[in-house]
Structures are given as C-alpha cells and as structure tokens.
PDB file of all heavy atoms in Angstrom:
ATOM      1  N   GLY A   1    -107.089-110.145 -84.534  1.00  0.00           N
ATOM      2  CA  GLY A   1    -107.079-109.827 -85.952  1.00  0.00           C
ATOM      3  C   GLY A   1    -105.782-110.221 -86.638  1.00  0.00           C
ATOM      4  O   GLY A   1    -104.896-110.836 -86.049  1.00  0.00           O
ATOM      5  N   ILE A   2    -105.661-109.840 -87.894  1.00  0.00           N
ATOM      6  CA  ILE A   2    -104.530-110.242 -88.722  1.00  0.00           C
ATOM      7  C   ILE A   2    -103.297-109.405 -88.395  1.00  0.00           C
ATOM      8  O   ILE A   2    -103.389-108.170 -88.367  1.00  0.00           O
ATOM      9  CB  ILE A   2    -104.886-110.099 -90.216  1.00  0.00           C
ATOM     10  CG1 ILE A   2    -106.209-110.805 -90.519  1.00  0.00           C
ATOM     11  CG2 ILE A   2    -103.759-110.643 -91.094  1.00  0.00           C
ATOM     12  CD1 ILE A   2    -106.238-112.268 -90.157  1.00  0.00           C
ATOM     13  N   PRO A   3    -102.138-110.026 -88.183  1.00  0.00           N
ATOM     14  CA  PRO A   3    -100.910-109.256 -87.951  1.00  0.00           C
ATOM     15  C   PRO A   3    -100.385-108.645 -89.249  1.00  0.00           C
ATOM     16  O   PRO A   3    -100.452-109.279 -90.307  1.00  0.00           O
ATOM     17  CB  PRO A   3     -99.946-110.305 -87.392  1.00  0.00           C
ATOM     18  CG  PRO A   3    -100.427-111.607 -87.947  1.00  0.00           C
ATOM     19  CD  PRO A   3    -101.915-111.472 -88.066  1.00  0.00           C
ATOM     20  N   PHE A   4     -99.825-107.436 -89.162  1.00  0.00           N
ATOM     21  CA  PHE A   4     -99.314-106.745 -90.338  1.00  0.00           C
ATOM     22  C   PHE A   4     -97.806-106.513 -90.291  1.00  0.00           C
ATOM     23  O   PHE A   4     -97.161-106.447 -91.327  1.00  0.00           O
ATOM     24  CB  PHE A   4    -100.026-105.400 -90.507  1.00  0.00           C
ATOM     25  CG  PHE A   4    -101.476-105.517 -90.895  1.00  0.00           C
ATOM     26  CD1 PHE A   4    -102.477-105.491 -89.928  1.00  0.00           C
ATOM     27  CD2 PHE A   4    -101.842-105.670 -92.220  1.00  0.00           C
ATOM     28  CE1 PHE A   4    -103.813-105.602 -90.284  1.00  0.00           C
ATOM     29  CE2 PHE A   4    -103.170-105.782 -92.585  1.00  0.00           C
ATOM     30  CZ  PHE A   4    -104.162-105.752 -91.620  1.00  0.00           C
ATOM     31  N   ALA A   5     -97.240-106.364 -89.097  1.00  0.00           N
ATOM     32  CA  ALA A   5     -95.801-106.117 -88.970  1.00  0.00           C
ATOM     33  C   ALA A   5     -95.032-107.417 -89.144  1.00  0.00           C
ATOM     34  O   ALA A   5     -95.451-108.473 -88.639  1.00  0.00           O
ATOM     35  CB  ALA A   5     -95.492-105.501 -87.608  1.00  0.00           C
ATOM     36  N   ASN A   6     -93.924-107.384 -89.865  1.00  0.00           N
ATOM     37  CA  ASN A   6     -93.141-108.588 -90.114  1.00  0.00           C
ATOM     38  C   ASN A   6     -92.698-109.212 -88.790  1.00  0.00           C
ATOM     39  O   ASN A   6     -92.142-108.538 -87.925  1.00  0.00           O
ATOM     40  CB  ASN A   6     -91.916-108.258 -90.965  1.00  0.00           C
ATOM     41  CG  ASN A   6     -91.238-109.513 -91.490  1.00  0.00           C
ATOM     42  OD1 ASN A   6     -91.909-110.418 -91.979  1.00  0.00           O
ATOM     43  ND2 ASN A   6     -89.931-109.583 -91.385  1.00  0.00           N
ATOM     44  N   GLY A   7     -92.981-110.506 -88.621  1.00  0.00           N
ATOM     45  CA  GLY A   7     -92.628-111.214 -87.403  1.00  0.00           C
ATOM     46  C   GLY A   7     -93.669-111.111 -86.303  1.00  0.00           C
ATOM     47  O   GLY A   7     -93.568-111.805 -85.284  1.00  0.00           O
ATOM     48  N   GLU A   8     -94.692-110.256 -86.476  1.00  0.00           N
ATOM     49  CA  GLU A   8     -95.757-110.114 -85.471  1.00  0.00           C
ATOM     50  C   GLU A   8     -96.578-111.394 -85.401  1.00  0.00           C
ATOM     51  O   GLU A   8     -96.927-111.986 -86.423  1.00  0.00           O
ATOM     52  CB  GLU A   8     -96.639-108.923 -85.823  1.00  0.00           C
ATOM     53  CG  GLU A   8     -97.738-108.622 -84.820  1.00  0.00           C
ATOM     54  CD  GLU A   8     -98.606-107.448 -85.228  1.00  0.00           C
ATOM     55  OE1 GLU A   8     -98.398-106.921 -86.349  1.00  0.00           O
ATOM     56  OE2 GLU A   8     -99.485-107.056 -84.440  1.00  0.00           O
ATOM     57  N   LYS A   9     -96.904-111.829 -84.185  1.00  0.00           N
ATOM     58  CA  LYS A   9     -97.633-113.084 -83.980  1.00  0.00           C
ATOM     59  C   LYS A   9     -98.920-112.824 -83.212  1.00  0.00           C
ATOM     60  O   LYS A   9     -98.913-112.109 -82.213  1.00  0.00           O
ATOM     61  CB  LYS A   9     -96.780-114.085 -83.195  1.00  0.00           C
ATOM     62  CG  LYS A   9     -95.415-114.385 -83.784  1.00  0.00           C
ATOM     63  CD  LYS A   9     -94.659-115.342 -82.891  1.00  0.00           C
ATOM     64  CE  LYS A   9     -93.264-115.628 -83.418  1.00  0.00           C
ATOM     65  NZ  LYS A   9     -92.354-114.472 -83.268  1.00  0.00           N
ATOM     66  N   HIS A  10    -100.017-113.409 -83.688  1.00  0.00           N
ATOM     67  CA  HIS A  10    -101.294-113.335 -82.991  1.00  0.00           C
ATOM     68  C   HIS A  10    -101.800-114.744 -82.715  1.00  0.00           C
ATOM     69  O   HIS A  10    -101.681-115.626 -83.576  1.00  0.00           O
ATOM     70  CB  HIS A  10    -102.327-112.575 -83.820  1.00  0.00           C
ATOM     71  CG  HIS A  10    -102.089-111.101 -83.883  1.00  0.00           C
ATOM     72  ND1 HIS A  10    -102.911-110.240 -84.583  1.00  0.00           N
ATOM     73  CD2 HIS A  10    -101.138-110.309 -83.325  1.00  0.00           C
ATOM     74  CE1 HIS A  10    -102.451-108.998 -84.467  1.00  0.00           C
ATOM     75  NE2 HIS A  10    -101.377-109.024 -83.699  1.00  0.00           N
ATOM     76  N   LEU A  11    -102.369-114.938 -81.549  1.00  0.00           N
ATOM     77  CA  LEU A  11    -102.949-116.226 -81.207  1.00  0.00           C
ATOM     78  C   LEU A  11    -104.088-116.557 -82.174  1.00  0.00           C
ATOM     79  O   LEU A  11    -104.940-115.713 -82.473  1.00  0.00           O
ATOM     80  CB  LEU A  11    -103.489-116.196 -79.776  1.00  0.00           C
ATOM     81  CG  LEU A  11    -104.205-117.468 -79.303  1.00  0.00           C
ATOM     82  CD1 LEU A  11    -103.234-118.630 -79.204  1.00  0.00           C
ATOM     83  CD2 LEU A  11    -104.898-117.218 -77.970  1.00  0.00           C
ATOM     84  N   ALA A  12    -104.102-117.808 -82.649  1.00  0.00           N
ATOM     85  CA  ALA A  12    -105.159-118.296 -83.540  1.00  0.00           C
ATOM     86  C   ALA A  12    -105.652-119.625 -82.970  1.00  0.00           C
ATOM     87  O   ALA A  12    -104.895-120.603 -82.925  1.00  0.00           O
ATOM     88  CB  ALA A  12    -104.639-118.473 -84.958  1.00  0.00           C
ATOM     89  N   VAL A  13    -106.899-119.656 -82.515  1.00  0.00           N
ATOM     90  CA  VAL A  13    -107.454-120.843 -81.882  1.00  0.00           C
ATOM     91  C   VAL A  13    -108.237-121.632 -82.923  1.00  0.00           C
ATOM     92  O   VAL A  13    -109.230-121.148 -83.484  1.00  0.00           O
ATOM     93  CB  VAL A  13    -108.370-120.472 -80.701  1.00  0.00           C
ATOM     94  CG1 VAL A  13    -108.935-121.726 -80.048  1.00  0.00           C
ATOM     95  CG2 VAL A  13    -107.604-119.629 -79.680  1.00  0.00           C
ATOM     96  N   GLU A  14    -107.771-122.860 -83.197  1.00  0.00           N
ATOM     97  CA  GLU A  14    -108.447-123.668 -84.217  1.00  0.00           C
ATOM     98  C   GLU A  14    -109.823-124.087 -83.715  1.00  0.00           C
ATOM     99  O   GLU A  14    -109.987-124.527 -82.575  1.00  0.00           O
ATOM    100  CB  GLU A  14    -107.623-124.898 -84.571  1.00  0.00           C
ATOM    101  CG  GLU A  14    -108.183-125.660 -85.761  1.00  0.00           C
ATOM    102  CD  GLU A  14    -107.259-126.723 -86.297  1.00  0.00           C
ATOM    103  OE1 GLU A  14    -106.282-127.091 -85.595  1.00  0.00           O
ATOM    104  OE2 GLU A  14    -107.497-127.198 -87.424  1.00  0.00           O
ATOM    105  N   VAL A  15    -110.816-123.932 -84.588  1.00  0.00           N
ATOM    106  CA  VAL A  15    -112.193-124.317 -84.271  1.00  0.00           C
ATOM    107  C   VAL A  15    -112.638-125.363 -85.286  1.00  0.00           C
ATOM    108  O   VAL A  15    -111.850-125.822 -86.112  1.00  0.00           O
ATOM    109  CB  VAL A  15    -113.131-123.090 -84.285  1.00  0.00           C
ATOM    110  CG1 VAL A  15    -112.725-122.106 -83.194  1.00  0.00           C
ATOM    111  CG2 VAL A  15    -113.132-122.402 -85.648  1.00  0.00           C
ATOM    112  N   GLU A  16    -113.894-125.749 -85.236  1.00  0.00           N
ATOM    113  CA  GLU A  16    -114.388-126.807 -86.109  1.00  0.00           C
ATOM    114  C   GLU A  16    -114.313-126.403 -87.586  1.00  0.00           C
ATOM    115  O   GLU A  16    -114.394-125.218 -87.925  1.00  0.00           O
ATOM    116  CB  GLU A  16    -115.834-127.172 -85.747  1.00  0.00           C
ATOM    117  CG  GLU A  16    -116.903-126.154 -86.144  1.00  0.00           C
ATOM    118  CD  GLU A  16    -117.056-125.007 -85.162  1.00  0.00           C
ATOM    119  OE1 GLU A  16    -116.249-124.909 -84.215  1.00  0.00           O
ATOM    120  OE2 GLU A  16    -117.985-124.207 -85.350  1.00  0.00           O
ATOM    121  N   ASP A  17    -114.135-127.403 -88.461  1.00  0.00           N
ATOM    122  CA  ASP A  17    -114.165-127.151 -89.894  1.00  0.00           C
ATOM    123  C   ASP A  17    -115.534-126.619 -90.300  1.00  0.00           C
ATOM    124  O   ASP A  17    -116.562-126.978 -89.712  1.00  0.00           O
ATOM    125  CB  ASP A  17    -113.878-128.439 -90.671  1.00  0.00           C
ATOM    126  CG  ASP A  17    -112.496-129.005 -90.383  1.00  0.00           C
ATOM    127  OD1 ASP A  17    -111.626-128.238 -89.954  1.00  0.00           O
ATOM    128  OD2 ASP A  17    -112.298-130.221 -90.593  1.00  0.00           O
ATOM    129  N   HIS A  18    -115.554-125.761 -91.321  1.00  0.00           N
ATOM    130  CA  HIS A  18    -116.792-125.195 -91.852  1.00  0.00           C
ATOM    131  C   HIS A  18    -116.967-125.614 -93.317  1.00  0.00           C
ATOM    132  O   HIS A  18    -115.972-125.856 -94.012  1.00  0.00           O
ATOM    133  CB  HIS A  18    -116.756-123.664 -91.761  1.00  0.00           C
ATOM    134  CG  HIS A  18    -117.000-123.139 -90.384  1.00  0.00           C
ATOM    135  ND1 HIS A  18    -116.306-123.578 -89.275  1.00  0.00           N
ATOM    136  CD2 HIS A  18    -117.867-122.188 -89.923  1.00  0.00           C
ATOM    137  CE1 HIS A  18    -116.732-122.933 -88.198  1.00  0.00           C
ATOM    138  NE2 HIS A  18    -117.679-122.084 -88.566  1.00  0.00           N
ATOM    139  N   PRO A  19    -118.213-125.676 -93.811  1.00  0.00           N
ATOM    140  CA  PRO A  19    -118.427-126.009 -95.229  1.00  0.00           C
ATOM    141  C   PRO A  19    -117.938-124.883 -96.132  1.00  0.00           C
ATOM    142  O   PRO A  19    -117.881-123.718 -95.721  1.00  0.00           O
ATOM    143  CB  PRO A  19    -119.944-126.186 -95.326  1.00  0.00           C
ATOM    144  CG  PRO A  19    -120.508-125.402 -94.186  1.00  0.00           C
ATOM    145  CD  PRO A  19    -119.489-125.488 -93.083  1.00  0.00           C
ATOM    146  N   LEU A  20    -117.606-125.234 -97.375  1.00  0.00           N
ATOM    147  CA  LEU A  20    -117.106-124.232 -98.315  1.00  0.00           C
ATOM    148  C   LEU A  20    -118.112-123.115 -98.539  1.00  0.00           C
ATOM    149  O   LEU A  20    -117.738-121.954 -98.743  1.00  0.00           O
ATOM    150  CB  LEU A  20    -116.764-124.890 -99.650  1.00  0.00           C
ATOM    151  CG  LEU A  20    -115.612-125.902 -99.646  1.00  0.00           C
ATOM    152  CD1 LEU A  20    -115.356-126.420-101.064  1.00  0.00           C
ATOM    153  CD2 LEU A  20    -114.337-125.293 -99.073  1.00  0.00           C
ATOM    154  N   ASP A  21    -119.398-123.441 -98.481  1.00  0.00           N
ATOM    155  CA  ASP A  21    -120.432-122.424 -98.686  1.00  0.00           C
ATOM    156  C   ASP A  21    -120.385-121.328 -97.625  1.00  0.00           C
ATOM    157  O   ASP A  21    -120.951-120.248 -97.811  1.00  0.00           O
ATOM    158  CB  ASP A  21    -121.828-123.057 -98.690  1.00  0.00           C
ATOM    159  CG  ASP A  21    -122.110-123.827 -99.961  1.00  0.00           C
ATOM    160  OD1 ASP A  21    -121.349-123.654-100.937  1.00  0.00           O
ATOM    161  OD2 ASP A  21    -123.074-124.611 -99.990  1.00  0.00           O
ATOM    162  N   TYR A  22    -119.718-121.590 -96.518  1.00  0.00           N
ATOM    163  CA  TYR A  22    -119.650-120.596 -95.448  1.00  0.00           C
ATOM    164  C   TYR A  22    -118.842-119.370 -95.863  1.00  0.00           C
ATOM    165  O   TYR A  22    -118.957-118.301 -95.259  1.00  0.00           O
ATOM    166  CB  TYR A  22    -119.033-121.210 -94.195  1.00  0.00           C
ATOM    167  CG  TYR A  22    -119.546-120.604 -92.907  1.00  0.00           C
ATOM    168  CD1 TYR A  22    -120.602-121.196 -92.218  1.00  0.00           C
ATOM    169  CD2 TYR A  22    -118.994-119.446 -92.384  1.00  0.00           C
ATOM    170  CE1 TYR A  22    -121.093-120.648 -91.045  1.00  0.00           C
ATOM    171  CE2 TYR A  22    -119.478-118.884 -91.213  1.00  0.00           C
ATOM    172  CZ  TYR A  22    -120.529-119.478 -90.554  1.00  0.00           C
ATOM    173  OH  TYR A  22    -121.019-118.922 -89.406  1.00  0.00           O
ATOM    174  N   ALA A  23    -118.035-119.514 -96.905  1.00  0.00           N
ATOM    175  CA  ALA A  23    -117.213-118.390 -97.367  1.00  0.00           C
ATOM    176  C   ALA A  23    -118.059-117.205 -97.797  1.00  0.00           C
ATOM    177  O   ALA A  23    -117.598-116.061 -97.764  1.00  0.00           O
ATOM    178  CB  ALA A  23    -116.312-118.830 -98.517  1.00  0.00           C
ATOM    179  N   ASP A  24    -119.305-117.431 -98.186  1.00  0.00           N
ATOM    180  CA  ASP A  24    -120.197-116.358 -98.619  1.00  0.00           C
ATOM    181  C   ASP A  24    -121.118-115.869 -97.503  1.00  0.00           C
ATOM    182  O   ASP A  24    -121.948-114.987 -97.728  1.00  0.00           O
ATOM    183  CB  ASP A  24    -121.080-116.833 -99.774  1.00  0.00           C
ATOM    184  CG  ASP A  24    -120.295-116.981-101.055  1.00  0.00           C
ATOM    185  OD1 ASP A  24    -119.358-116.200-101.275  1.00  0.00           O
ATOM    186  OD2 ASP A  24    -120.606-117.890-101.838  1.00  0.00           O
ATOM    187  N   PHE A  25    -121.003-116.454 -96.331  1.00  0.00           N
ATOM    188  CA  PHE A  25    -121.957-116.122 -95.273  1.00  0.00           C
ATOM    189  C   PHE A  25    -121.670-114.753 -94.682  1.00  0.00           C
ATOM    190  O   PHE A  25    -120.577-114.488 -94.178  1.00  0.00           O
ATOM    191  CB  PHE A  25    -121.936-117.173 -94.165  1.00  0.00           C
ATOM    192  CG  PHE A  25    -122.923-116.887 -93.074  1.00  0.00           C
ATOM    193  CD1 PHE A  25    -124.261-117.208 -93.228  1.00  0.00           C
ATOM    194  CD2 PHE A  25    -122.534-116.263 -91.901  1.00  0.00           C
ATOM    195  CE1 PHE A  25    -125.191-116.922 -92.235  1.00  0.00           C
ATOM    196  CE2 PHE A  25    -123.448-115.976 -90.895  1.00  0.00           C
ATOM    197  CZ  PHE A  25    -124.776-116.305 -91.065  1.00  0.00           C
ATOM    198  N   GLU A  26    -122.679-113.905 -94.722  1.00  0.00           N
ATOM    199  CA  GLU A  26    -122.614-112.574 -94.116  1.00  0.00           C
ATOM    200  C   GLU A  26    -123.996-112.219 -93.619  1.00  0.00           C
ATOM    201  O   GLU A  26    -124.960-112.263 -94.373  1.00  0.00           O
ATOM    202  CB  GLU A  26    -122.141-111.534 -95.123  1.00  0.00           C
ATOM    203  CG  GLU A  26    -122.053-110.129 -94.555  1.00  0.00           C
ATOM    204  CD  GLU A  26    -121.400-109.156 -95.522  1.00  0.00           C
ATOM    205  OE1 GLU A  26    -120.177-109.230 -95.705  1.00  0.00           O
ATOM    206  OE2 GLU A  26    -122.130-108.330 -96.102  1.00  0.00           O
ATOM    207  N   GLY A  27    -124.103-111.887 -92.352  1.00  0.00           N
ATOM    208  CA  GLY A  27    -125.414-111.542 -91.815  1.00  0.00           C
ATOM    209  C   GLY A  27    -125.475-111.788 -90.329  1.00  0.00           C
ATOM    210  O   GLY A  27    -124.513-111.519 -89.608  1.00  0.00           O
ATOM    211  N   ILE A  28    -126.611-112.308 -89.876  1.00  0.00           N
ATOM    212  CA  ILE A  28    -126.865-112.455 -88.449  1.00  0.00           C
ATOM    213  C   ILE A  28    -126.997-113.922 -88.078  1.00  0.00           C
ATOM    214  O   ILE A  28    -127.748-114.658 -88.709  1.00  0.00           O
ATOM    215  CB  ILE A  28    -128.160-111.726 -88.043  1.00  0.00           C
ATOM    216  CG1 ILE A  28    -128.093-110.253 -88.462  1.00  0.00           C
ATOM    217  CG2 ILE A  28    -128.405-111.846 -86.538  1.00  0.00           C
ATOM    218  CD1 ILE A  28    -126.981-109.477 -87.818  1.00  0.00           C
ATOM    219  N   ILE A  29    -126.265-114.341 -87.050  1.00  0.00           N
ATOM    220  CA  ILE A  29    -126.514-115.622 -86.392  1.00  0.00           C
ATOM    221  C   ILE A  29    -127.408-115.304 -85.196  1.00  0.00           C
ATOM    222  O   ILE A  29    -127.068-114.453 -84.372  1.00  0.00           O
ATOM    223  CB  ILE A  29    -125.202-116.280 -85.922  1.00  0.00           C
ATOM    224  CG1 ILE A  29    -124.278-116.535 -87.116  1.00  0.00           C
ATOM    225  CG2 ILE A  29    -125.498-117.596 -85.192  1.00  0.00           C
ATOM    226  CD1 ILE A  29    -122.909-117.055 -86.724  1.00  0.00           C
ATOM    227  N   PRO A  30    -128.580-115.945 -85.106  1.00  0.00           N
ATOM    228  CA  PRO A  30    -129.542-115.568 -84.063  1.00  0.00           C
ATOM    229  C   PRO A  30    -128.974-115.680 -82.644  1.00  0.00           C
ATOM    230  O   PRO A  30    -128.142-116.539 -82.352  1.00  0.00           O
ATOM    231  CB  PRO A  30    -130.687-116.567 -84.269  1.00  0.00           C
ATOM    232  CG  PRO A  30    -130.554-117.009 -85.683  1.00  0.00           C
ATOM    233  CD  PRO A  30    -129.087-117.012 -85.975  1.00  0.00           C
ATOM    234  N   LYS A  31    -129.435-114.795 -81.787  1.00  0.00           N
ATOM    235  CA  LYS A  31    -129.055-114.818 -80.381  1.00  0.00           C
ATOM    236  C   LYS A  31    -129.472-116.153 -79.776  1.00  0.00           C
ATOM    237  O   LYS A  31    -130.564-116.652 -80.015  1.00  0.00           O
ATOM    238  CB  LYS A  31    -129.745-113.662 -79.637  1.00  0.00           C
ATOM    239  CG  LYS A  31    -129.307-113.519 -78.190  1.00  0.00           C
ATOM    240  CD  LYS A  31    -129.981-112.311 -77.545  1.00  0.00           C
ATOM    241  CE  LYS A  31    -129.536-112.163 -76.092  1.00  0.00           C
ATOM    242  NZ  LYS A  31    -130.171-110.988 -75.436  1.00  0.00           N
ATOM    243  N   GLY A  32    -128.596-116.730 -78.993  1.00  0.00           N
ATOM    244  CA  GLY A  32    -128.876-118.030 -78.383  1.00  0.00           C
ATOM    245  C   GLY A  32    -128.303-119.183 -79.174  1.00  0.00           C
ATOM    246  O   GLY A  32    -128.168-120.293 -78.655  1.00  0.00           O
ATOM    247  N   GLN A  33    -127.959-118.934 -80.441  1.00  0.00           N
ATOM    248  CA  GLN A  33    -127.305-119.950 -81.260  1.00  0.00           C
ATOM    249  C   GLN A  33    -125.793-119.862 -81.080  1.00  0.00           C
ATOM    250  O   GLN A  33    -125.253-118.826 -80.674  1.00  0.00           O
ATOM    251  CB  GLN A  33    -127.669-119.755 -82.731  1.00  0.00           C
ATOM    252  CG  GLN A  33    -129.099-120.102 -83.066  1.00  0.00           C
ATOM    253  CD  GLN A  33    -129.384-121.581 -82.874  1.00  0.00           C
ATOM    254  OE1 GLN A  33    -128.851-122.428 -83.573  1.00  0.00           O
ATOM    255  NE2 GLN A  33    -130.216-121.890 -81.888  1.00  0.00           N
ATOM    256  N   TYR A  34    -125.102-120.941 -81.387  1.00  0.00           N
ATOM    257  CA  TYR A  34    -123.650-120.973 -81.289  1.00  0.00           C
ATOM    258  C   TYR A  34    -123.047-119.862 -82.155  1.00  0.00           C
ATOM    259  O   TYR A  34    -123.348-119.760 -83.342  1.00  0.00           O
ATOM    260  CB  TYR A  34    -123.141-122.333 -81.757  1.00  0.00           C
ATOM    261  CG  TYR A  34    -121.633-122.462 -81.797  1.00  0.00           C
ATOM    262  CD1 TYR A  34    -120.895-122.585 -80.626  1.00  0.00           C
ATOM    263  CD2 TYR A  34    -120.963-122.465 -83.011  1.00  0.00           C
ATOM    264  CE1 TYR A  34    -119.521-122.710 -80.661  1.00  0.00           C
ATOM    265  CE2 TYR A  34    -119.582-122.591 -83.055  1.00  0.00           C
ATOM    266  CZ  TYR A  34    -118.866-122.716 -81.876  1.00  0.00           C
ATOM    267  OH  TYR A  34    -117.497-122.827 -81.923  1.00  0.00           O
ATOM    268  N   GLY A  35    -122.233-119.004 -81.537  1.00  0.00           N
ATOM    269  CA  GLY A  35    -121.626-117.907 -82.294  1.00  0.00           C
ATOM    270  C   GLY A  35    -122.583-116.782 -82.604  1.00  0.00           C
ATOM    271  O   GLY A  35    -122.324-115.977 -83.510  1.00  0.00           O
ATOM    272  N   GLY A  36    -123.687-116.694 -81.876  1.00  0.00           N
ATOM    273  CA  GLY A  36    -124.697-115.672 -82.154  1.00  0.00           C
ATOM    274  C   GLY A  36    -124.114-114.268 -82.234  1.00  0.00           C
ATOM    275  O   GLY A  36    -123.347-113.858 -81.369  1.00  0.00           O
ATOM    276  N   GLY A  37    -124.480-113.529 -83.283  1.00  0.00           N
ATOM    277  CA  GLY A  37    -123.972-112.177 -83.480  1.00  0.00           C
ATOM    278  C   GLY A  37    -123.899-111.823 -84.950  1.00  0.00           C
ATOM    279  O   GLY A  37    -124.502-112.483 -85.802  1.00  0.00           O
TER     280      GLY A  37
END
C-alpha cells in the first residue's frame, strides 16, 4: 500500500500500461482471468 511516514519506502512493481478508461473500473474480474478478483 501507500507509504505515509516521511521517507518510508514501499516496493512498487511496474506492470503493463492500462487504458485511461481503467481509472473508473470498479467491480469483479472473473475468476480464471488475469488479475481475477
């Protein structure tokens, strides 16, 4: 998750680019699909 304490560092693993429309995506990714959940 997001670090809150000044100087706190969290690992961030870069993944594939997503379309801008993904910013509104909220719901279910079907089981068996990439990122299902």
